[in-house]
Amino acid sequence: MEKFLPIAYLQNRFLPFEAANVSIATHALHYGTGAFGGMRGLPDPQNPNQILLFRLDRHCQRLSASAKLLQYHLPASKIQETIIDFVQKNKPSTSFYIRPFVYNSGLGVSPRLHNIEKDFLIYGLEMADYLPPGGVSCRISSWYRQEDRSLPLRGKISAAYITSSLAKTEAVESGFDESILMNTQGKVSEASGMNIFIVRNNTLITPGFEQDILEGITRDSVLAIARNLGITIQERPVDRSELLIADEVFLCGTAAKIAPVKRIENYELPTHRPITTVLREKLIAITENRDEQYQDWIFKVPIH
Ligand code: PMP
Protein backbone atom coordinates (compact mmCIF):
# COMPACT_ATOMS: atom_id res chain seq x y z
CA MET A 1 0.00 0.00 0.00
CA GLU A 2 1.31 3.44 -0.91
CA LYS A 3 2.22 5.80 1.89
CA PHE A 4 1.33 9.28 0.66
CA LEU A 5 2.97 12.41 2.00
CA PRO A 6 0.49 14.28 4.25
CA ILE A 7 0.28 17.58 2.34
CA ALA A 8 -0.77 17.94 -1.29
CA TYR A 9 -1.09 20.93 -3.62
CA LEU A 10 -4.25 21.47 -5.66
CA GLN A 11 -5.82 24.55 -7.28
CA ASN A 12 -3.17 26.92 -5.96
CA ARG A 13 -3.23 25.84 -2.35
CA PHE A 14 -1.73 23.34 0.04
CA LEU A 15 -4.12 21.01 1.85
CA PRO A 16 -4.18 17.57 3.47
CA PHE A 17 -3.73 14.76 0.92
CA GLU A 18 -7.11 13.22 1.86
CA ALA A 19 -8.89 16.50 1.14
CA ALA A 20 -7.25 17.03 -2.26
CA ASN A 21 -9.99 15.69 -4.51
CA VAL A 22 -11.35 16.46 -7.98
CA SER A 23 -14.73 16.02 -9.64
CA ILE A 24 -15.71 12.80 -11.41
CA ALA A 25 -16.35 14.93 -14.52
CA THR A 26 -12.75 16.18 -14.71
CA HIS A 27 -11.74 16.31 -18.37
CA ALA A 28 -8.29 14.76 -17.83
CA LEU A 29 -9.77 11.76 -16.07
CA HIS A 30 -11.74 10.85 -19.20
CA TYR A 31 -9.44 11.91 -22.01
CA GLY A 32 -5.94 11.60 -20.60
CA THR A 33 -5.45 15.34 -21.13
CA GLY A 34 -2.78 15.66 -18.50
CA ALA A 35 0.96 15.35 -18.22
CA PHE A 36 3.09 14.55 -15.24
CA GLY A 37 6.52 14.63 -13.79
CA GLY A 38 8.18 12.28 -11.36
CA MET A 39 11.20 12.98 -9.27
CA ARG A 40 12.93 11.47 -6.31
CA GLY A 41 14.07 13.10 -3.13
CA LEU A 42 15.62 11.94 0.07
CA PRO A 43 16.75 13.38 3.42
CA ASP A 44 20.46 14.19 3.14
CA PRO A 45 22.22 11.24 4.86
CA GLN A 46 24.96 13.73 5.90
CA ASN A 47 22.67 16.53 7.11
CA PRO A 48 19.21 15.91 8.58
CA ASN A 49 18.23 19.56 8.03
CA GLN A 50 18.05 19.29 4.27
CA ILE A 51 16.29 17.33 1.58
CA LEU A 52 18.07 16.43 -1.65
CA LEU A 53 16.22 16.64 -4.96
CA PHE A 54 17.84 15.13 -8.03
CA ARG A 55 18.00 17.42 -11.09
CA LEU A 56 15.08 19.58 -9.98
CA ASP A 57 15.66 22.10 -12.78
CA ARG A 58 15.47 19.49 -15.54
CA HIS A 59 12.31 17.96 -14.12
CA CYS A 60 10.66 21.37 -13.94
CA GLN A 61 11.71 22.23 -17.51
CA ARG A 62 10.33 18.95 -18.84
CA LEU A 63 7.01 19.43 -17.06
CA SER A 64 6.76 22.99 -18.34
CA ALA A 65 7.36 21.67 -21.88
CA SER A 66 4.70 18.98 -21.36
CA ALA A 67 2.30 21.69 -20.16
CA LYS A 68 3.02 23.68 -23.30
CA LEU A 69 2.00 20.69 -25.42
CA LEU A 70 -1.32 20.79 -23.55
CA GLN A 71 -1.61 24.52 -24.31
CA TYR A 72 -1.02 25.43 -20.71
CA HIS A 73 1.50 28.14 -19.92
CA LEU A 74 3.26 27.12 -16.71
CA PRO A 75 6.81 28.41 -16.30
CA ALA A 76 9.45 26.02 -14.95
CA SER A 77 10.23 28.62 -12.25
CA LYS A 78 6.66 28.44 -10.90
CA ILE A 79 6.82 24.62 -10.83
CA GLN A 80 10.17 24.74 -9.04
CA GLU A 81 9.01 27.22 -6.38
CA THR A 82 5.91 25.16 -5.68
CA ILE A 83 7.86 21.91 -5.40
CA ILE A 84 10.27 23.50 -2.92
CA ASP A 85 7.31 24.72 -0.87
CA PHE A 86 5.73 21.28 -1.08
CA VAL A 87 8.88 19.60 0.26
CA GLN A 88 9.22 22.15 3.07
CA LYS A 89 5.62 21.59 4.12
CA ASN A 90 5.92 17.79 4.09
CA LYS A 91 9.41 17.43 5.61
CA PRO A 92 9.75 13.81 4.40
CA SER A 93 11.80 11.57 6.66
CA THR A 94 12.52 8.77 4.15
CA SER A 95 13.22 8.39 0.46
CA PHE A 96 10.23 9.72 -1.52
CA TYR A 97 8.80 10.43 -4.93
CA ILE A 98 7.12 13.67 -6.03
CA ARG A 99 4.38 13.53 -8.61
CA PRO A 100 3.56 16.96 -10.11
CA PHE A 101 0.71 16.90 -12.61
CA VAL A 102 -0.72 19.41 -15.09
CA TYR A 103 -4.14 18.70 -16.49
CA ASN A 104 -7.41 19.85 -17.98
CA SER A 105 -9.26 20.42 -14.74
CA GLY A 106 -12.42 21.75 -16.41
CA LEU A 107 -15.48 19.53 -16.42
CA GLY A 108 -17.49 17.96 -19.18
CA VAL A 109 -17.33 16.22 -22.52
CA SER A 110 -15.73 17.09 -25.87
CA PRO A 111 -12.04 16.33 -26.28
CA ARG A 112 -10.04 19.54 -26.67
CA LEU A 113 -7.22 21.59 -25.26
CA HIS A 114 -8.62 25.08 -25.91
CA ASN A 115 -11.20 26.87 -23.78
CA ILE A 116 -10.87 24.61 -20.81
CA GLU A 117 -9.56 25.27 -17.34
CA LYS A 118 -6.14 23.88 -16.42
CA ASP A 119 -4.58 23.14 -13.08
CA PHE A 120 -1.26 22.10 -11.58
CA LEU A 121 -1.26 19.69 -8.64
CA ILE A 122 1.39 17.85 -6.63
CA TYR A 123 1.36 14.88 -4.34
CA GLY A 124 4.12 12.68 -2.99
CA LEU A 125 4.68 9.23 -1.64
CA GLU A 126 7.35 7.29 0.14
CA MET A 127 9.32 5.12 -2.26
CA ALA A 128 12.06 2.54 -1.83
CA ASP A 129 13.21 0.32 -4.75
CA TYR A 130 10.76 0.11 -7.63
CA LEU A 131 12.20 -2.99 -9.32
CA PRO A 132 14.12 -5.93 -7.81
CA PRO A 133 17.73 -4.63 -7.55
CA GLY A 134 19.22 -8.07 -8.33
CA GLY A 135 18.09 -8.00 -11.95
CA VAL A 136 14.79 -8.03 -13.79
CA SER A 137 13.33 -10.35 -16.36
CA CYS A 138 11.78 -8.68 -19.41
CA ARG A 139 9.25 -9.63 -21.99
CA ILE A 140 9.28 -7.96 -25.39
CA SER A 141 5.86 -6.41 -25.57
CA SER A 142 3.31 -7.22 -28.21
CA TRP A 143 2.31 -3.55 -27.89
CA TYR A 144 4.39 -0.95 -29.71
CA ARG A 145 5.57 2.40 -28.39
CA GLN A 146 3.48 5.23 -29.87
CA GLU A 147 4.84 7.44 -32.62
CA ASP A 148 5.47 11.15 -32.20
CA ARG A 149 3.22 11.86 -35.19
CA SER A 150 0.18 10.63 -33.24
CA LEU A 151 1.12 11.54 -29.66
CA PRO A 152 3.64 14.17 -28.56
CA LEU A 153 6.28 11.93 -27.03
CA ARG A 154 8.54 14.75 -25.84
CA GLY A 155 6.01 15.34 -23.08
CA LYS A 156 5.05 12.87 -20.37
CA ILE A 157 1.45 12.88 -21.52
CA SER A 158 -0.91 10.82 -19.35
CA ALA A 159 -2.74 9.27 -22.28
CA ALA A 160 0.49 7.60 -23.45
CA TYR A 161 0.53 5.47 -20.33
CA ILE A 162 -2.25 3.22 -21.54
CA THR A 163 0.40 1.57 -23.69
CA SER A 164 2.81 1.30 -20.75
CA SER A 165 0.01 -0.18 -18.65
CA LEU A 166 -0.93 -2.75 -21.29
CA ALA A 167 2.70 -3.72 -21.73
CA LYS A 168 3.51 -3.95 -18.02
CA THR A 169 0.44 -6.07 -17.24
CA GLU A 170 1.10 -8.35 -20.19
CA ALA A 171 4.66 -8.86 -18.92
CA VAL A 172 3.74 -9.42 -15.27
CA GLU A 173 0.81 -11.72 -16.03
CA SER A 174 3.05 -13.87 -18.17
CA GLY A 175 5.67 -14.20 -15.43
CA PHE A 176 8.11 -11.36 -16.19
CA ASP A 177 9.00 -8.28 -14.15
CA GLU A 178 9.02 -5.70 -16.94
CA SER A 179 8.37 -5.15 -20.59
CA ILE A 180 10.50 -3.75 -23.40
CA LEU A 181 8.63 -2.00 -26.19
CA MET A 182 9.73 -1.81 -29.79
CA ASN A 183 8.72 1.18 -31.90
CA THR A 184 6.71 0.97 -35.08
CA GLN A 185 9.96 0.78 -37.07
CA GLY A 186 10.73 -2.48 -35.28
CA LYS A 187 13.62 -0.98 -33.28
CA VAL A 188 14.01 -1.08 -29.52
CA SER A 189 12.42 1.97 -27.88
CA GLU A 190 12.17 1.73 -24.09
CA ALA A 191 10.54 -0.10 -21.16
CA SER A 192 7.10 0.68 -19.71
CA GLY A 193 8.47 3.53 -17.58
CA MET A 194 12.23 3.49 -18.17
CA ASN A 195 14.81 4.06 -20.85
CA ILE A 196 17.05 1.21 -21.94
CA PHE A 197 20.79 0.78 -22.41
CA ILE A 198 22.83 -2.13 -23.68
CA VAL A 199 26.56 -2.83 -23.53
CA ARG A 200 28.38 -4.60 -26.34
CA ASN A 201 32.14 -4.93 -26.49
CA ASN A 202 32.57 -2.24 -23.81
CA THR A 203 30.45 0.27 -25.74
CA LEU A 204 27.39 1.73 -24.05
CA ILE A 205 24.53 1.93 -26.54
CA THR A 206 21.07 3.47 -26.18
CA PRO A 207 18.30 4.30 -28.66
CA GLY A 208 18.39 7.96 -29.71
CA PHE A 209 15.58 10.51 -29.44
CA GLU A 210 14.36 9.57 -32.92
CA GLN A 211 13.38 6.13 -31.61
CA ASP A 212 10.19 7.46 -29.97
CA ILE A 213 11.66 7.41 -26.48
CA LEU A 214 10.81 9.70 -23.60
CA GLU A 215 13.58 12.22 -22.98
CA GLY A 216 14.55 10.58 -19.72
CA ILE A 217 16.49 12.60 -17.18
CA THR A 218 18.14 9.48 -15.77
CA ARG A 219 19.16 8.54 -19.33
CA ASP A 220 20.75 11.95 -19.74
CA SER A 221 22.54 11.55 -16.39
CA VAL A 222 23.81 8.07 -17.29
CA LEU A 223 25.21 9.36 -20.58
CA ALA A 224 26.98 12.24 -18.83
CA ILE A 225 28.46 9.97 -16.16
CA ALA A 226 29.62 7.43 -18.76
CA ARG A 227 31.17 10.17 -20.90
CA ASN A 228 33.07 11.51 -17.89
CA LEU A 229 34.29 7.99 -17.07
CA GLY A 230 35.67 7.66 -20.61
CA ILE A 231 33.20 4.93 -21.63
CA THR A 232 32.47 4.84 -25.38
CA ILE A 233 28.86 5.83 -26.06
CA GLN A 234 26.59 5.34 -29.06
CA GLU A 235 23.09 6.78 -29.38
CA ARG A 236 21.66 4.82 -32.27
CA PRO A 237 18.89 2.41 -33.30
CA VAL A 238 19.05 -0.95 -31.53
CA ASP A 239 17.71 -4.15 -33.06
CA ARG A 240 15.87 -6.82 -31.14
CA SER A 241 18.62 -9.35 -31.82
CA GLU A 242 21.21 -7.05 -30.24
CA LEU A 243 19.30 -7.14 -26.98
CA LEU A 244 19.43 -10.89 -26.86
CA ILE A 245 23.19 -11.14 -27.34
CA ALA A 246 24.21 -8.04 -25.38
CA ASP A 247 26.91 -8.31 -22.71
CA GLU A 248 24.78 -6.19 -20.38
CA VAL A 249 21.33 -4.60 -20.50
CA PHE A 250 19.87 -2.19 -17.98
CA LEU A 251 16.78 -0.04 -17.59
CA CYS A 252 16.90 3.40 -16.06
CA GLY A 253 14.43 5.93 -14.77
CA THR A 254 13.64 8.03 -11.75
CA ALA A 255 11.68 5.33 -9.95
CA ALA A 256 13.83 2.37 -11.05
CA LYS A 257 17.23 4.18 -10.91
CA ILE A 258 19.46 1.68 -12.76
CA ALA A 259 17.96 -1.80 -12.89
CA PRO A 260 20.06 -4.57 -14.46
CA VAL A 261 18.24 -6.99 -16.77
CA LYS A 262 18.92 -10.67 -16.13
CA ARG A 263 16.74 -12.25 -18.81
CA ILE A 264 14.90 -11.18 -21.96
CA GLU A 265 12.22 -13.60 -23.08
CA ASN A 266 14.00 -16.99 -23.07
CA TYR A 267 17.53 -15.53 -23.29
CA GLU A 268 19.66 -15.34 -20.15
CA LEU A 269 22.06 -12.41 -19.90
CA PRO A 270 25.51 -12.60 -18.26
CA THR A 271 25.51 -11.94 -14.52
CA HIS A 272 28.88 -10.17 -14.72
CA ARG A 273 27.89 -6.54 -15.41
CA PRO A 274 30.90 -4.31 -14.88
CA ILE A 275 29.62 -1.21 -16.70
CA THR A 276 26.09 -1.40 -15.24
CA THR A 277 27.57 -1.80 -11.77
CA VAL A 278 29.93 1.16 -12.03
CA LEU A 279 27.20 3.44 -13.43
CA ARG A 280 24.67 2.30 -10.84
CA GLU A 281 26.99 2.88 -7.91
CA LYS A 282 28.02 6.27 -9.22
CA LEU A 283 24.41 7.37 -9.78
CA ILE A 284 23.40 6.28 -6.27
CA ALA A 285 26.40 8.08 -4.73
CA ILE A 286 25.46 11.26 -6.63
CA THR A 287 21.82 11.18 -5.50
CA GLU A 288 22.94 10.62 -1.90
CA ASN A 289 25.22 13.65 -2.03
CA ARG A 290 28.37 11.54 -1.74
CA ASP A 291 29.98 12.78 -4.95
CA GLU A 292 31.68 16.16 -5.27
CA GLN A 293 31.77 16.11 -9.07
CA TYR A 294 28.01 16.36 -9.67
CA GLN A 295 26.99 18.88 -7.01
CA ASP A 296 25.07 20.93 -9.55
CA TRP A 297 22.64 18.01 -10.05
CA ILE A 298 21.60 18.06 -6.42
CA PHE A 299 19.18 20.72 -5.26
CA LYS A 300 19.19 21.13 -1.49
CA VAL A 301 15.98 22.18 0.24
CA PRO A 302 16.48 23.34 3.83
CA ILE A 303 13.91 22.08 6.33
CA HIS A 304 13.73 23.21 9.93
N1 PMP B 1 10.30 6.36 -20.32
C1 PMP B 1 9.06 6.41 -19.79
C2 PMP B 1 7.90 5.99 -20.61
C3 PMP B 1 8.89 6.87 -18.49
O1 PMP B 1 7.68 6.95 -17.94
C4 PMP B 1 10.02 7.25 -17.73
C5 PMP B 1 9.86 7.70 -16.30
N2 PMP B 1 9.63 9.06 -16.21
C6 PMP B 1 11.29 7.19 -18.33
C7 PMP B 1 11.39 6.73 -19.62
C8 PMP B 1 12.52 7.62 -17.58
O2 PMP B 1 12.53 8.99 -17.41
P1 PMP B 1 13.24 9.69 -16.16
O3 PMP B 1 14.63 9.18 -16.12
O4 PMP B 1 13.19 11.13 -16.47
O5 PMP B 1 12.49 9.32 -14.96
Side-chain angles (χ1 to χ4, degrees):
M1 187 54 195
E2 313 287 13
K3 192 149 183 281
F4 294 101
L5 300 188
I7 308 293
Y9 180 79
L10 180 74
Q11 289 157 354
N12 298 310
R13 65 194 180 102
F14 288 98
L15 70 178
F17 174 80
E18 291 75 20
N21 298 314
V22 297
S23 162
I24 58 170
T26 302
H27 195 270
L29 190 60
H30 297 257
Y31 296 113
T33 45
F36 58 90
M39 54 186 308
R40 269 187 185 269
L42 78 164
D44 187 341
Q46 276 77 246
N47 177 356
N49 294 323
Q50 62 185 17
I51 299 286
L52 311 173
L53 299 178
F54 185 65
R55 303 199 75 178
L56 175 63
D57 53 344
R58 290 293 295 262
H59 281 280
C60 296
Q61 284 157 14
R62 186 173 67 190
L63 186 61
S64 176
S66 297
K68 187 171 182 184
L69 290 166
L70 297 174
Q71 302 216 8
Y72 179 21
H73 176 70
L74 183 66
S77 56
K78 160 81 181 164
I79 300 172
Q80 177 155 333
E81 271 163 36
T82 316
I83 289 179
I84 294 168
D85 242 12
F86 171 85
V87 169
Q88 287 179 323
K89 290 203 159 48
N90 278 292
K91 300 184 177 39
S93 56
T94 57
S95 178
F96 64 101
Y97 181 84
I98 302 174
R99 168 53 60 85
F101 184 55
V102 295
Y103 65 107
N104 274 5
S105 56
L107 310 186
V109 293
S110 138
R112 67 188 187 285
L113 295 172
H114 63 284
N115 290 343
I116 187 154
E117 213 175 285
K118 318 277 184 192
D119 184 38
F120 165 44
L121 64 78
I122 313 176
Y123 71 87
L125 48 122
E126 293 184 2
M127 186 183 277
D129 280 338
Y130 174 77
L131 285 172
V136 296
S137 60
C138 294
R139 174 174 175 167
I140 295 182
S141 181
S142 69
W143 297 95
Y144 292 83
R145 172 74 173 158
Q146 304 94 347
E147 297 180 79
D148 193 73
R149 63 184 164 176
S150 54
L151 200 148
L153 298 176
R154 293 295 169 274
K156 261 173 88 70
I157 308 291
S158 307
Y161 284 82
I162 181 61
T163 309
S164 296
S165 303
L166 287 162
K168 176 85 180 186
T169 294
E170 176 187 68
V172 170
E173 290 192 342
S174 48
F176 297 85
D177 299 311
E178 239 318 314
S179 84
I180 297 172
L181 288 89
M182 314 297 276
N183 62 21
T184 51
Q185 305 303 307
K187 303 292 180 188
V188 174
S189 185
E190 58 179 15
S192 70
M194 286 147 279
N195 292 110
I196 187 166
F197 282 81
I198 70 171
V199 176
R200 291 191 66 200
N201 302 323
N202 294 318
T203 298
L204 184 67
I205 305 161
T206 194
F209 292 140
E210 77 292 350
Q211 298 304 313
D212 300 323
I213 64 168
L214 182 83
E215 291 181 347
I217 293 166
T218 318
R219 175 188 181 279
D220 179 77
S221 310
V222 167
L223 285 171
I225 295 167
R227 204 171 286 124
N228 290 339
L229 288 172
I231 296 169
T232 308
I233 293 164
Q234 290 177 358
E235 288 179 75
R236 63 156 174 82
V238 173
D239 287 321
R240 175 189 179 115
S241 62
E242 282 194 288
L243 280 182
L244 307 177
I245 58 166
D247 302 324
E248 303 178 42
V249 178
F250 66 83
L251 309 176
C252 74
T254 296
K257 302 178 189 165
I258 289 183
V261 174
K262 64 178 181 194
R263 182 159 65 91
I264 299 176
E265 300 273 339
N266 50 333
Y267 286 76
E268 297 292 333
L269 286 155
T271 50
H272 179 61
R273 310 171 181 119
I275 293 187
T276 306
T277 307
V278 92
L279 293 170
R280 186 164 190 271
E281 281 169 6
K282 187 88 175 158
L283 183 69
I284 292 173
I286 295 168
T287 56
E288 292 177 0
N289 198 18
R290 287 188 279 111
D291 193 304
E292 282 305 309
Q293 200 185 343
Y294 295 90
Q295 282 295 311
D296 54 335
W297 284 359
I298 304 298
F299 191 94
K300 301 179 178 95
V301 182
I303 49 164
H304 308 292

